[in-house]
Amino acid sequence: MSTIQDKQLTDIVVEDIMISSEKVAHVQLNNPLEHALLVLVKSGYSAVPVLDASYKLVGTIGKTIILNEILGLERFEIEKLSDMRVHEVMNTDIPSLSRDDSFMNGLKAVINNTFVCVSDDEGYFDGIVTRRAILKQMKRDFYTNRND
Ligand code: AMP
């Protein structure tokens, strides 16, 4: 069985480089913003996927969008963190990939996003592809071809 190290970029598919769903921090639609902010701050991630109760992908939520939402005229309205839910502020206009998408589709998707979610035909969340993973494969390919 060939490992990803043996593969040409043109043979790599999204599944080969994605972080699978079990290892991805996420929040759910009905979580209070406070929970989402805790997950983001504790994990150190700038944004994470939002899933519904059946683990379907519905959006992403990040620190900036939450902080903007609770920013009042003169102070952060901290009480909003427990009053508001993730579905009220999340970003639903997001690109997504499928496991069998090509490396090039992954590359195009991360040009404007630090990570892109992967879902199946029915919308169930499979994982994410990060810009870091794409760049790592491109670096490997560059050095491999230079040494040939
Ligand atoms: P990185 O390339 O590791 O810096 O990740 C870029 C972005 O992808 C992070 O800021 C997060 O928004 C997201 N991300 C990466 N890994 C994970 C993970 N395990 N769980 C949730 N989000 C992640």
Side-chain angles (χ1 to χ4, degrees):
M1 199 179 77
S2 68
T3 66
I4 189 166
Q5 275 80 17
D6 306 324
K7 288 191 180 180
Q8 298 284 330
L9 284 189
T10 45
D11 297 330
I12 292 176
V13 291
V14 158
E15 184 170 32
D16 297 324
I17 51 171
M18 75 179 190
I19 302 174
S20 62
S21 56
E22 320 85 70
K23 296 181 190 149
V24 177
H26 73 272
V27 295
Q28 294 206 311
L29 276 176
N30 282 324
N31 289 149
L33 287 190
E34 185 170 25
H35 175 77
L37 194 56
L38 271 170
V39 169
L40 289 163
V41 171
K42 284 199 142 191
S43 65
Y45 298 132
S46 49
V48 293
V50 180
L51 307 184
D52 71 10
S54 60
Y55 293 90
K56 284 189 175 176
L57 174 68
V58 285
T60 60
I61 191 161
K63 287 174 190 151
T64 311
I65 209 171
I66 296 178
L67 293 177
N68 264 325
E69 191 61 41
I70 66 165
L71 182 61
L73 279 181
E74 293 186 346
R75 65 176 189 98
F76 284 109
E77 294 164 356
I78 302 290
E79 58 285 359
K80 280 191 176 173
L81 286 176
S82 47
D83 294 345
M84 296 183 74
R85 308 267 150 182
V86 164
H87 66 83
E88 294 176 73
V89 305
M90 68 184 190
N91 181 13
T92 53
D93 185 18
I94 54 160
S96 78
L97 292 162
S98 55
R99 282 173 177 272
D100 54 6
D101 265 322
S102 65
F103 180 85
M104 190 47 82
N105 278 350
L107 168 59
K108 286 181 194 156
V110 299
I111 289 175
N112 290 320
N113 303 280
T114 55
F115 75 96
V116 174
C117 295
V118 183
S119 58
D120 71 12
D121 292 347
E122 292 172 73
Y124 289 103
F125 180 63
D126 278 337
I128 59 170
V129 171
T130 61
R131 190 183 285 160
R132 182 200 298 268
I134 296 279
L135 288 174
K136 210 171 130 187
Q137 293 308 319
M138 291 184 72
K139 179 180 166 214
R140 181 187 60 85
D141 187 72
F142 178 82
Y143 283 112
T144 309
N145 289 331
R146 208 172 62 159
N147 295 334
D148 281 350

